[in-house]
Amino acid sequence: MAVSLLTILVITLSGLSLTFLFAKSETFLWRLAAGNIVGSAVFGSIGFIIANFFGLSLFTAAAAFAIASLPIFLLRGKDVKRQLKEEWQWGLDKTQGVSFKRLRRLGYYIFFLVLFIAFFDRAMIIGADGIFTGASQNLGDLPFHLGAIFSFADGNNFPPQNPSFANAKFTYPFIADFLTACLVKLGASVQSAMLVQSVTWAFSLLVILERFVFKVTKSYLGSKIAPLLLFFSGGLGFLWFFKDYWYGTQSFFEIIWNLPQDYTIGEKFRWGNSMITLFITQRSLLLGMPLVIIVLTYWRKVFHFDWNVNERNEKQGESTYLPFSFEPFFVGILAGTLPLIHAHSLVVLFIVSAFWLIESPKHIREWVSFAAGVIVIAVPELFWILSGSATSTGDFVAWHFGWDMREDNLFLFWFKNTGIFIPLLFAGFAFLLVSAFSYLRTEKQKADEANFGKELASKTRSYVYFLLLFYAPFLAIFVASNIAKFAPWEWDNIKLLIYWWVGSLPFVSFGLAWIWGKGKYFKPLTLCLLVFLTLSGALDVWRVASAQMRHQVFDKDAVEIAEEIKKTTEPNALFLHAPTYNSAIVLTGRRSLMRYIGHLSSHGIDYEERDDDLKRIYSGGAMADIFLNKYGIDYVLLSPRERELLQINEPYFMKYPVWAEVGEYKVYKVK
């Protein structure tokens, strides 16, 4: 744990120093959060380049860490030191003394920090009897990520092949898992590295989202509400919870500590709470989303669209005569790391950039600089990903109406899955316009009584235009995701739809804050609306964080045979085993001919020929010899999973030496 914490602290300070290259004035807490994300992206990118040439070892991981830490020296600059000191002092002043407001602010962050620790600690549980997960949706995803991590840390998988589909390029965005492997090489355990990464990334997302919403809405309360709506997202599933309680035999406290099911994902609900279906299962998004929001926060500043007239006149400090702008170029470099961090996040940035550029061509210089930065990093990454990939891109885009609504009516589906979120979205939009009009009216009366009416109308039109421009790409994402699918499995559109949710948060959270501010009689109403929006998600998050589940992923024998395999086989050895998500080979870092069909199909990989050949090998006979030679199989695993899922001719394999054996697990060396 100490190694993980120390490494991430240094990387965070390095990233913090880089934030001064594009964010001149910010809060110290935001800089720490953004520094964690920026530093992780830089460390991962540098480490991946080095590992492709020299492999991943303690030396190369340390070298990447040292290079990624070099920006810390920027903190020695006079202007940076002065600005950082001011931001630190401002943050310190906010915590000085004892008051209910300060305690409430501190309690807010402590609550989320404790929640994240308790929640992500359940992602991977190591016990005497095997490896478990305490999250219902993580049963297949945990071994997938462990397979990637161990392939880097123990399999020397560079340039990366798909550990689940040997001899094919690994095109899944793997930087999050690669960073975990780097921490492992530096001395951390896989479990502690994953925990520290997830907690710090989630907390960074909290702070970055909070700041983003505040800059869009100027509502302090709204900015505090927004993370609640993201981390406890859900629909009307809480009604089914009350049904389970009413018709059950348990008391309220008994059922709270023994929840029978998830209430945001399943047969009745498809949205899924972000914590249990995305952030704990798809680790890449937990790094990609805050990076996207950092970029969007920067572009909000470039546009100068805000109802605060003083901020609108703020200058960037760069010469308008230069054809090139450094700030957007550097932000573009950060965005360019997204193909290997989270590809769907890069798609979202493309969509938002396209809309905003079309609607605001006067910022063409900034856009060109930004595009240049993206191209420098993203184009080589995309070229590497797409060349020689086993993924069929044609399987990713097809017409598909209604996302994953199944038999539901479209409007009923979205109401059931998101509750009152969409109605509050429209209300918040209207409330924001009313508040902006009121603010601008006051400001113009102070500034210039003579041209009051004309100037007020102009400013109001400008702000309405900003809101429409700001929200248009997110609305486009929502519409597109409801008329087409952008992955072989339609549910994976959630990777885009979650950004529609994020883009809607400023309006929904402002709407709640506006109602709260109408007086003491409206405060209970606001609390009721907030409960309606978050109770289903809170139940699912609570079910994980309170340790109510413990699903076995690998048994004790699987863990032990994996250790034997790592000790006695070559790092690039090719294994044959049943196409299941939890094969012991996952823990070895060795390559598999093919693993879980569900993962392969969702990644657009045509696995059917290999699947047929795999079954023929296990059935034995002359054809088995041919296919073993065809694929160059080194070792074959026989375990309870193979015996359960396949028809095995065990006498056939007895002609080969047993290379390792633990309990019912046997490894045959066939080459």
Side-chain angles (χ1 to χ4, degrees):
M1 184 72 77
V3 172
S4 300
L5 286 170
L6 181 60
T7 304
I8 289 177
L9 175 60
V10 175
I11 289 301
T12 296
L13 291 176
S14 176
L16 179 150
S17 66
L18 291 174
T19 63
F20 284 96
L21 298 179
F22 62 91
K24 303 302 182 186
S25 179
E26 270 296 348
T27 66
F28 182 75
L29 186 60
W30 182 90
R31 275 201 203 281
L32 276 178
N36 177 238
I37 300 303
V38 171
S40 296
V42 172
F43 181 28
S45 300
I46 292 173
F48 176 64
I49 293 172
I50 294 175
N52 270 286
F53 288 98
F54 305 105
L56 184 61
S57 63
L58 173 59
F59 174 77
T60 53
F65 174 71
I67 296 171
S69 302
L70 289 177
I72 289 179
F73 289 104
L74 292 174
L75 296 177
R76 300 179 62 183
K78 183 178 179 181
D79 292 339
V80 171
K81 286 170 66 176
R82 176 184 54 79
Q83 183 63 34
L84 189 61
K85 183 178 180 180
E86 290 178 0
E87 292 171 358
W88 168 261
Q89 189 59 50
W90 184 86
L92 202 62
D93 292 342
K94 300 283 282 186
T95 60
Q96 294 273 324
V98 178
S99 69
F100 177 73
K101 184 177 181 180
R102 289 188 175 92
L103 291 175
R104 184 178 61 194
R105 182 184 298 116
L106 182 62
Y108 178 84
Y109 293 118
I110 291 176
F111 164 76
F112 272 109
L113 181 59
V114 172
L115 172 68
F116 292 149
I117 293 173
F119 182 83
F120 289 109
D121 186 54
R122 304 299 296 171
M124 180 181 181
I125 306 163
I126 299 179
D129 49 348
I131 297 175
F132 300 77
T133 184
S136 61
Q137 304 298 316
N138 200 35
L139 193 59
D141 290 278
L142 174 61
F144 175 82
H145 290 293
L146 290 177
I149 293 167
F150 286 122
S151 77
F152 295 133
D154 296 317
N156 199 27
N157 185 19
F158 299 98
Q161 290 186 29
N162 191 333
S164 298
F165 200 74
N167 300 319
K169 188 167 289 185
F170 195 21
T171 56
Y172 182 87
F174 51 71
I175 287 295
D177 293 327
F178 172 77
L179 283 168
T180 308
C182 288
L183 293 178
V184 170
K185 283 299 184 183
L186 292 173
S189 68
V190 172
Q191 186 182 24
S192 67
M194 290 177 64
L195 174 61
V196 173
Q197 282 179 315
S198 297
V199 170
T200 56
W201 288 344
F203 194 83
S204 295
L205 174 58
L206 161 73
V207 175
I208 290 166
L209 174 64
E210 177 188 13
R211 189 66 174 162
F212 173 68
V213 171
F214 176 76
K215 289 195 170 187
V216 172
T217 65
K218 294 304 176 193
S219 170
Y220 175 80
L221 178 58
S223 70
K224 297 295 184 183
I225 292 174
L228 292 169
L229 300 181
L230 175 63
F231 293 117
F232 299 121
S233 62
L236 300 181
F238 65 89
L239 297 177
W240 275 255
F241 161 74
F242 287 118
K243 179 182 177 182
D244 289 339
Y245 163 66
W246 186 260
Y247 290 105
T249 59
Q250 295 176 304
S251 69
F252 183 78
F253 289 103
E254 285 176 334
I255 193 172
I256 280 292
W257 283 98
N258 296 277
L259 291 170
Q261 61 177 313
D262 290 327
Y263 292 99
T264 64
I265 189 73
E267 289 301 317
K268 299 182 181 69
F269 301 96
R270 301 307 298 154
W271 176 257
N273 169 260
S274 62
M275 291 276 280
I276 71 161
T277 63
L278 294 175
F279 297 146
I280 199 171
T281 61
Q282 301 177 34
R283 307 180 68 237
S284 301
L285 181 62
L286 203 52
L287 179 59
M289 179 177 286
L291 185 57
V292 168
I293 299 176
I294 288 171
V295 175
L296 295 181
T297 302
Y298 171 78
W299 280 113
R300 188 216 63 86
K301 180 183 72 172
V302 170
F303 276 111
H304 296 295
F305 285 126
D306 201 290
W307 69 33
N308 188 326
V309 292
N310 295 322
E311 184 175 333
R312 287 171 70 111
N313 295 324
E314 182 183 313
K315 300 299 182 183
Q316 297 298 306
E318 291 192 19
S319 170
T320 57
Y321 297 102
L322 292 175
F324 177 83
S325 299
F326 177 76
E327 283 188 10
F329 175 75
F330 182 75
V331 174
I333 288 177
L334 295 179
T337 63
L338 281 170
L340 293 179
I341 292 177
H342 191 249
H344 284 81
S345 294
L346 182 65
V347 172
V348 168
L349 273 184
F350 281 155
I351 294 171
V352 174
S353 299
F355 270 83
W356 288 1
L357 174 60
I358 292 172
E359 293 297 328
S360 186
K362 65 180 180 180
H363 295 291
I364 188 65
R365 184 168 67 102
E366 287 84 357
W367 283 118
V368 170
S369 302
F370 175 74
V374 172
I375 289 170
V376 167
I377 305 297
V379 168
E381 289 187 355
L382 289 171
F383 177 79
W384 179 84
I385 289 172
L386 296 175
S387 59
S389 171
T391 298
S392 174
T393 54
D395 294 337
F396 275 74
V397 181
W399 295 112
H400 187 86
F401 181 74
W403 182 38
D404 200 16
M405 69 177 187
R406 302 184 179 183
E407 302 300 322
D408 281 336
N409 170 274
L410 181 63
F411 296 100
L412 177 61
F413 169 79
W414 279 108
F415 180 64
K416 188 170 70 173
N417 278 273
T418 63
I420 57 174
F421 186 85
I422 294 176
L424 276 175
L425 168 63
F426 289 104
F429 194 95
F431 295 156
L432 200 53
L433 287 179
V434 171
S435 298
F437 181 83
S438 176
Y439 176 87
L440 293 171
R441 180 184 179 89
T442 303
E443 288 296 307
K444 292 311 299 175
Q445 282 180 324
K446 293 177 182 177
D448 189 354
E449 288 284 355
N451 296 320
F452 169 69
K454 184 178 179 181
E455 290 292 328
L456 176 61
S458 174
K459 293 289 185 182
T460 303
R461 285 195 301 270
S462 178
Y463 190 65
V464 172
Y465 175 74
F466 158 65
L467 292 182
L468 294 174
L469 170 60
F470 173 86
Y471 193 63
F474 301 105
L475 180 60
I477 289 171
F478 179 79
V479 173
S481 298
N482 274 277
I483 60 176
K485 64 175 185 175
F486 299 95
W489 182 28
E490 61 271 11
W491 188 84
D492 273 347
N493 273 12
I494 190 69
K495 297 174 184 177
L496 296 175
L497 283 166
I498 192 64
Y499 280 103
W500 160 74
W501 187 275
V502 169
S504 303
L505 286 178
F507 304 102
V508 179
S509 58
F510 181 87
L512 291 171
W514 188 88
I515 297 171
W516 177 273
K518 291 296 103 180
K520 62 180 182 180
Y521 297 110
F522 287 87
K523 287 178 170 54
L525 172 61
T526 308
L527 291 175
C528 288
L529 293 174
L530 186 60
V531 168
F532 264 75
L533 287 165
T534 59
L535 182 55
S536 299
L539 287 169
D540 284 0
V541 172
W542 167 253
R543 190 177 183 221
V544 174
S546 58
Q548 297 183 27
M549 295 171 288
R550 195 170 185 261
H551 303 293
Q552 188 172 61
V553 185
F554 302 100
D555 60 31
K556 179 183 177 182
D557 288 348
V559 175
E560 291 183 3
I561 194 72
E563 289 301 316
E564 286 296 316
I565 290 171
K566 285 198 286 188
K567 292 176 184 177
T568 60
T569 65
E570 311 80 18
N572 65 341
L574 178 58
F575 276 76
L576 184 74
H577 57 80
T580 179
Y581 63 89
N582 61 343
S583 171
I585 306 306
V586 166
L587 302 174
T588 68
R590 276 46 177 174
R591 298 177 299 149
S592 298
L593 182 66
M594 62 176 292
R595 292 182 187 167
Y596 185 42
I597 288 173
H599 290 152
L600 298 177
S601 61
S602 67
H603 297 161
I605 295 175
D606 184 3
Y607 61 85
E608 292 183 357
E609 181 180 349
R610 285 196 187 187
D611 188 36
D612 291 339
D613 294 346
L614 179 149
K615 293 173 182 176
R616 291 190 178 99
I617 293 174
Y618 274 107
S619 67
M623 292 300 294
D625 293 335
I626 293 173
F627 288 122
L628 284 172
N629 291 326
K630 172 184 175 181
Y631 292 107
I633 305 295
D634 296 303
Y635 301 90
V636 174
L637 174 67
L638 292 186
S639 76
R641 297 298 285 157
E642 281 71 33
R643 297 182 181 97
E644 175 188 351
L645 298 174
L646 301 168
Q647 292 183 349
I648 301 176
N649 182 355
E650 294 203 36
Y652 165 80
F653 293 99
M654 291 180 181
K655 66 182 181 181
Y656 298 111
V658 176
W659 196 254
E661 183 174 6
V662 175
E664 296 186 70
Y665 288 76
K666 285 184 181 180
V667 174
Y668 291 95
K669 183 175 175 60
V670 297
K671 184 179 180 182

mmCIF file of all heavy atoms in Angstrom, residues 246-272:
data_model
loop_
_atom_site.group_PDB
_atom_site.id
_atom_site.type_symbol
_atom_site.label_atom_id
_atom_site.label_comp_id
_atom_site.label_asym_id
_atom_site.label_seq_id
_atom_site.Cartn_x
_atom_site.Cartn_y
_atom_site.Cartn_z
ATOM 1 N N TRP A 246 -41.914 -5.014 1.552
ATOM 2 C CA TRP A 246 -43.315 -5.124 1.966
ATOM 3 C C TRP A 246 -43.801 -6.568 1.916
ATOM 4 O O TRP A 246 -44.509 -7.029 2.815
ATOM 5 C CB TRP A 246 -44.182 -4.233 1.084
ATOM 6 C CG TRP A 246 -45.604 -4.176 1.543
ATOM 7 C CD1 TRP A 246 -46.671 -4.858 1.042
ATOM 8 C CD2 TRP A 246 -46.100 -3.381 2.623
ATOM 9 N NE1 TRP A 246 -47.807 -4.540 1.714
ATOM 10 C CE2 TRP A 246 -47.487 -3.620 2.711
ATOM 11 C CE3 TRP A 246 -45.519 -2.476 3.515
ATOM 12 C CZ2 TRP A 246 -48.298 -3.009 3.656
ATOM 13 C CZ3 TRP A 246 -46.323 -1.853 4.454
ATOM 14 C CH2 TRP A 246 -47.695 -2.134 4.520
ATOM 15 N N TYR A 247 -43.406 -7.287 0.865
ATOM 16 C CA TYR A 247 -43.883 -8.659 0.705
ATOM 17 C C TYR A 247 -42.914 -9.690 1.296
ATOM 18 O O TYR A 247 -43.180 -10.889 1.225
ATOM 19 C CB TYR A 247 -44.118 -8.965 -0.778
ATOM 20 C CG TYR A 247 -45.303 -8.216 -1.341
ATOM 21 C CD1 TYR A 247 -45.116 -7.107 -2.170
ATOM 22 C CD2 TYR A 247 -46.608 -8.606 -1.043
ATOM 23 C CE1 TYR A 247 -46.195 -6.409 -2.681
ATOM 24 C CE2 TYR A 247 -47.686 -7.913 -1.555
ATOM 25 C CZ TYR A 247 -47.478 -6.808 -2.369
ATOM 26 O OH TYR A 247 -48.547 -6.115 -2.867
ATOM 27 N N GLY A 248 -41.816 -9.224 1.852
ATOM 28 C CA GLY A 248 -40.855 -10.140 2.451
ATOM 29 C C GLY A 248 -41.115 -10.364 3.930
ATOM 30 O O GLY A 248 -42.060 -9.819 4.517
ATOM 31 N N THR A 249 -40.282 -11.150 4.540
ATOM 32 C CA THR A 249 -40.431 -11.483 5.963
ATOM 33 C C THR A 249 -39.398 -10.779 6.832
ATOM 34 O O THR A 249 -39.461 -10.871 8.056
ATOM 35 C CB THR A 249 -40.293 -12.996 6.159
ATOM 36 O OG1 THR A 249 -39.015 -13.426 5.687
ATOM 37 C CG2 THR A 249 -41.382 -13.745 5.406
ATOM 38 N N GLN A 250 -38.438 -10.090 6.224
ATOM 39 C CA GLN A 250 -37.382 -9.440 6.987
ATOM 40 C C GLN A 250 -37.820 -8.064 7.472
ATOM 41 O O GLN A 250 -38.648 -7.394 6.834
ATOM 42 C CB GLN A 250 -36.116 -9.295 6.133
ATOM 43 C CG GLN A 250 -35.464 -10.615 5.739
ATOM 44 C CD GLN A 250 -34.277 -10.393 4.818
ATOM 45 O OE1 GLN A 250 -34.390 -9.767 3.766
ATOM 46 N NE2 GLN A 250 -33.128 -10.919 5.214
ATOM 47 N N SER A 251 -37.228 -7.632 8.573
ATOM 48 C CA SER A 251 -37.441 -6.266 9.036
ATOM 49 C C SER A 251 -36.692 -5.319 8.105
ATOM 50 O O SER A 251 -35.866 -5.746 7.289
ATOM 51 C CB SER A 251 -36.932 -6.095 10.465
ATOM 52 O OG SER A 251 -35.521 -6.170 10.498
ATOM 53 N N PHE A 252 -36.956 -4.025 8.251
ATOM 54 C CA PHE A 252 -36.317 -3.040 7.369
ATOM 55 C C PHE A 252 -34.806 -3.104 7.505
ATOM 56 O O PHE A 252 -34.078 -3.102 6.500
ATOM 57 C CB PHE A 252 -36.820 -1.636 7.700
ATOM 58 C CG PHE A 252 -36.264 -0.569 6.798
ATOM 59 C CD1 PHE A 252 -36.776 -0.386 5.522
ATOM 60 C CD2 PHE A 252 -35.209 0.233 7.211
ATOM 61 C CE1 PHE A 252 -36.251 0.581 4.678
ATOM 62 C CE2 PHE A 252 -34.684 1.204 6.382
ATOM 63 C CZ PHE A 252 -35.207 1.387 5.118
ATOM 64 N N PHE A 253 -34.295 -3.172 8.725
ATOM 65 C CA PHE A 253 -32.848 -3.197 8.920
ATOM 66 C C PHE A 253 -32.242 -4.518 8.452
ATOM 67 O O PHE A 253 -31.103 -4.556 7.979
ATOM 68 C CB PHE A 253 -32.517 -2.940 10.390
ATOM 69 C CG PHE A 253 -32.784 -1.521 10.817
ATOM 70 C CD1 PHE A 253 -33.908 -1.207 11.558
ATOM 71 C CD2 PHE A 253 -31.922 -0.499 10.443
ATOM 72 C CE1 PHE A 253 -34.168 0.104 11.930
ATOM 73 C CE2 PHE A 253 -32.164 0.813 10.814
ATOM 74 C CZ PHE A 253 -33.294 1.117 11.564
ATOM 75 N N GLU A 254 -32.979 -5.585 8.551
ATOM 76 C CA GLU A 254 -32.484 -6.867 8.059
ATOM 77 C C GLU A 254 -32.333 -6.860 6.542
ATOM 78 O O GLU A 254 -31.323 -7.334 6.006
ATOM 79 C CB GLU A 254 -33.431 -7.995 8.490
ATOM 80 C CG GLU A 254 -33.331 -8.368 9.960
ATOM 81 C CD GLU A 254 -34.354 -9.406 10.367
ATOM 82 O OE1 GLU A 254 -35.427 -9.480 9.715
ATOM 83 O OE2 GLU A 254 -34.090 -10.144 11.334
ATOM 84 N N ILE A 255 -33.305 -6.309 5.852
ATOM 85 C CA ILE A 255 -33.216 -6.300 4.389
ATOM 86 C C ILE A 255 -32.173 -5.301 3.904
ATOM 87 O O ILE A 255 -31.498 -5.524 2.895
ATOM 88 C CB ILE A 255 -34.596 -6.023 3.748
ATOM 89 C CG1 ILE A 255 -34.547 -6.352 2.237
ATOM 90 C CG2 ILE A 255 -35.035 -4.579 3.956
ATOM 91 C CD1 ILE A 255 -35.878 -6.294 1.552
ATOM 92 N N ILE A 256 -31.986 -4.193 4.640
ATOM 93 C CA ILE A 256 -30.958 -3.219 4.271
ATOM 94 C C ILE A 256 -29.577 -3.856 4.324
ATOM 95 O O ILE A 256 -28.691 -3.542 3.520
ATOM 96 C CB ILE A 256 -31.036 -1.983 5.206
ATOM 97 C CG1 ILE A 256 -32.161 -1.050 4.758
ATOM 98 C CG2 ILE A 256 -29.713 -1.225 5.233
ATOM 99 C CD1 ILE A 256 -31.890 -0.360 3.420
ATOM 100 N N TRP A 257 -29.370 -4.761 5.280
ATOM 101 C CA TRP A 257 -28.071 -5.420 5.409
ATOM 102 C C TRP A 257 -27.995 -6.718 4.606
ATOM 103 O O TRP A 257 -26.954 -7.384 4.607
ATOM 104 C CB TRP A 257 -27.766 -5.702 6.875
ATOM 105 C CG TRP A 257 -27.321 -4.467 7.609
ATOM 106 C CD1 TRP A 257 -28.070 -3.642 8.386
ATOM 107 C CD2 TRP A 257 -26.005 -3.906 7.605
ATOM 108 N NE1 TRP A 257 -27.324 -2.598 8.870
ATOM 109 C CE2 TRP A 257 -26.043 -2.743 8.417
ATOM 110 C CE3 TRP A 257 -24.789 -4.282 7.016
ATOM 111 C CZ2 TRP A 257 -24.919 -1.951 8.633
ATOM 112 C CZ3 TRP A 257 -23.670 -3.486 7.240
ATOM 113 C CH2 TRP A 257 -23.739 -2.342 8.036
ATOM 114 N N ASN A 258 -29.072 -7.067 3.927
ATOM 115 C CA ASN A 258 -29.089 -8.279 3.099
ATOM 116 C C ASN A 258 -29.922 -8.023 1.845
ATOM 117 O O ASN A 258 -30.909 -8.720 1.575
ATOM 118 C CB ASN A 258 -29.664 -9.459 3.878
ATOM 119 C CG ASN A 258 -28.826 -9.848 5.075
ATOM 120 O OD1 ASN A 258 -27.850 -10.567 4.958
ATOM 121 N ND2 ASN A 258 -29.215 -9.347 6.247
ATOM 122 N N LEU A 259 -29.544 -7.033 1.078
ATOM 123 C CA LEU A 259 -30.303 -6.676 -0.127
ATOM 124 C C LEU A 259 -30.306 -7.852 -1.101
ATOM 125 O O LEU A 259 -29.248 -8.423 -1.412
ATOM 126 C CB LEU A 259 -29.694 -5.444 -0.783
ATOM 127 C CG LEU A 259 -29.855 -4.142 0.009
ATOM 128 C CD1 LEU A 259 -29.012 -3.033 -0.595
ATOM 129 C CD2 LEU A 259 -31.317 -3.719 0.062
ATOM 130 N N PRO A 260 -31.477 -8.228 -1.611
ATOM 131 C CA PRO A 260 -31.578 -9.442 -2.428
ATOM 132 C C PRO A 260 -31.141 -9.273 -3.882
ATOM 133 O O PRO A 260 -30.925 -10.264 -4.579
ATOM 134 C CB PRO A 260 -33.072 -9.780 -2.358
ATOM 135 C CG PRO A 260 -33.747 -8.456 -2.165
ATOM 136 C CD PRO A 260 -32.807 -7.645 -1.315
ATOM 137 N N GLN A 261 -31.028 -8.032 -4.361
ATOM 138 C CA GLN A 261 -30.722 -7.830 -5.773
ATOM 139 C C GLN A 261 -30.241 -6.398 -5.997
ATOM 140 O O GLN A 261 -30.299 -5.556 -5.100
ATOM 141 C CB GLN A 261 -31.980 -8.069 -6.626
ATOM 142 C CG GLN A 261 -33.129 -7.123 -6.297
ATOM 143 C CD GLN A 261 -34.328 -7.330 -7.184
ATOM 144 O OE1 GLN A 261 -34.206 -7.426 -8.399
ATOM 145 N NE2 GLN A 261 -35.521 -7.406 -6.580
ATOM 146 N N ASP A 262 -29.738 -6.142 -7.222
ATOM 147 C CA ASP A 262 -29.431 -4.771 -7.639
ATOM 148 C C ASP A 262 -30.721 -4.102 -8.090
ATOM 149 O O ASP A 262 -31.598 -4.751 -8.669
ATOM 150 C CB ASP A 262 -28.427 -4.773 -8.791
ATOM 151 C CG ASP A 262 -27.040 -5.219 -8.348
ATOM 152 O OD1 ASP A 262 -26.675 -4.921 -7.197
ATOM 153 O OD2 ASP A 262 -26.334 -5.857 -9.148
ATOM 154 N N TYR A 263 -30.795 -2.794 -7.883
ATOM 155 C CA TYR A 263 -32.016 -2.069 -8.229
ATOM 156 C C TYR A 263 -31.821 -1.049 -9.353
ATOM 157 O O TYR A 263 -32.700 -0.231 -9.613
ATOM 158 C CB TYR A 263 -32.574 -1.381 -6.972
ATOM 159 C CG TYR A 263 -33.080 -2.374 -5.959
ATOM 160 C CD1 TYR A 263 -32.293 -2.747 -4.873
ATOM 161 C CD2 TYR A 263 -34.328 -2.988 -6.101
ATOM 162 C CE1 TYR A 263 -32.745 -3.679 -3.946
ATOM 163 C CE2 TYR A 263 -34.780 -3.924 -5.182
ATOM 164 C CZ TYR A 263 -33.986 -4.267 -4.110
ATOM 165 O OH TYR A 263 -34.430 -5.195 -3.201
ATOM 166 N N THR A 264 -30.663 -1.113 -10.024
ATOM 167 C CA THR A 264 -30.464 -0.242 -11.185
ATOM 168 C C THR A 264 -30.082 -1.034 -12.433
ATOM 169 O O THR A 264 -30.011 -0.468 -13.521
ATOM 170 C CB THR A 264 -29.361 0.797 -10.920
ATOM 171 O OG1 THR A 264 -28.106 0.123 -10.721
ATOM 172 C CG2 THR A 264 -29.682 1.652 -9.706
ATOM 173 N N ILE A 265 -29.836 -2.326 -12.296
ATOM 174 C CA ILE A 265 -29.445 -3.141 -13.443
ATOM 175 C C ILE A 265 -30.018 -4.544 -13.260
ATOM 176 O O ILE A 265 -30.057 -5.065 -12.148
ATOM 177 C CB ILE A 265 -27.898 -3.193 -13.593
ATOM 178 C CG1 ILE A 265 -27.486 -3.852 -14.905
ATOM 179 C CG2 ILE A 265 -27.266 -3.871 -12.405
ATOM 180 C CD1 ILE A 265 -27.714 -3.007 -16.120
ATOM 181 N N GLY A 266 -30.476 -5.138 -14.339
ATOM 182 C CA GLY A 266 -31.076 -6.464 -14.286
ATOM 183 C C GLY A 266 -32.067 -6.613 -15.420
ATOM 184 O O GLY A 266 -31.991 -5.929 -16.442
ATOM 185 N N GLU A 267 -33.016 -7.471 -15.272
ATOM 186 C CA GLU A 267 -34.016 -7.671 -16.309
ATOM 187 C C GLU A 267 -34.962 -6.478 -16.442
ATOM 188 O O GLU A 267 -35.420 -6.141 -17.526
ATOM 189 C CB GLU A 267 -34.825 -8.934 -16.017
ATOM 190 C CG GLU A 267 -34.041 -10.222 -16.222
ATOM 191 C CD GLU A 267 -33.530 -10.362 -17.653
ATOM 192 O OE1 GLU A 267 -34.302 -10.074 -18.592
ATOM 193 O OE2 GLU A 267 -32.364 -10.740 -17.825
ATOM 194 N N LYS A 268 -35.265 -5.815 -15.325
ATOM 195 C CA LYS A 268 -36.229 -4.706 -15.351
ATOM 196 C C LYS A 268 -35.566 -3.362 -15.643
ATOM 197 O O LYS A 268 -36.199 -2.447 -16.168
ATOM 198 C CB LYS A 268 -36.969 -4.617 -14.010
ATOM 199 C CG LYS A 268 -37.786 -5.847 -13.643
ATOM 200 C CD LYS A 268 -38.512 -5.625 -12.331
ATOM 201 C CE LYS A 268 -39.326 -6.846 -11.930
ATOM 202 N NZ LYS A 268 -38.473 -7.989 -11.545
ATOM 203 N N PHE A 269 -34.290 -3.227 -15.292
ATOM 204 C CA PHE A 269 -33.601 -1.941 -15.430
ATOM 205 C C PHE A 269 -32.296 -2.149 -16.186
ATOM 206 O O PHE A 269 -31.576 -3.124 -15.949
ATOM 207 C CB PHE A 269 -33.311 -1.337 -14.044
ATOM 208 C CG PHE A 269 -34.543 -1.116 -13.224
ATOM 209 C CD1 PHE A 269 -34.951 -2.069 -12.295
ATOM 210 C CD2 PHE A 269 -35.301 0.025 -13.382
ATOM 211 C CE1 PHE A 269 -36.090 -1.880 -11.539
ATOM 212 C CE2 PHE A 269 -36.441 0.222 -12.636
ATOM 213 C CZ PHE A 269 -36.843 -0.727 -11.712
ATOM 214 N N ARG A 270 -31.967 -1.188 -17.069
ATOM 215 C CA ARG A 270 -30.779 -1.336 -17.902
ATOM 216 C C ARG A 270 -29.782 -0.199 -17.735
ATOM 217 O O ARG A 270 -28.665 -0.295 -18.227
ATOM 218 C CB ARG A 270 -31.190 -1.432 -19.389
ATOM 219 C CG ARG A 270 -32.124 -2.581 -19.718
ATOM 220 C CD ARG A 270 -31.586 -3.912 -19.240
ATOM 221 N NE ARG A 270 -30.330 -4.260 -19.866
ATOM 222 C CZ ARG A 270 -29.431 -5.059 -19.310
ATOM 223 N NH1 ARG A 270 -29.635 -5.554 -18.091
ATOM 224 N NH2 ARG A 270 -28.307 -5.341 -19.952
ATOM 225 N N TRP A 271 -30.171 0.898 -17.095
ATOM 226 C CA TRP A 271 -29.234 2.022 -16.979
ATOM 227 C C TRP A 271 -28.028 1.622 -16.133
ATOM 228 O O TRP A 271 -26.881 1.791 -16.535
ATOM 229 C CB TRP A 271 -29.923 3.250 -16.385
ATOM 230 C CG TRP A 271 -28.977 4.389 -16.150
ATOM 231 C CD1 TRP A 271 -28.440 4.798 -14.974
ATOM 232 C CD2 TRP A 271 -28.426 5.249 -17.148
ATOM 233 N NE1 TRP A 271 -27.596 5.868 -15.162
ATOM 234 C CE2 TRP A 271 -27.570 6.159 -16.500
ATOM 235 C CE3 TRP A 271 -28.566 5.336 -18.540
ATOM 236 C CZ2 TRP A 271 -26.861 7.155 -17.187
ATOM 237 C CZ3 TRP A 271 -27.858 6.323 -19.215
ATOM 238 C CH2 TRP A 271 -27.020 7.220 -18.539
ATOM 239 N N GLY A 272 -28.277 1.092 -14.960
ATOM 240 C CA GLY A 272 -27.173 0.669 -14.110
ATOM 241 C C GLY A 272 -26.518 1.844 -13.413
ATOM 242 O O GLY A 272 -26.158 2.838 -14.048
#
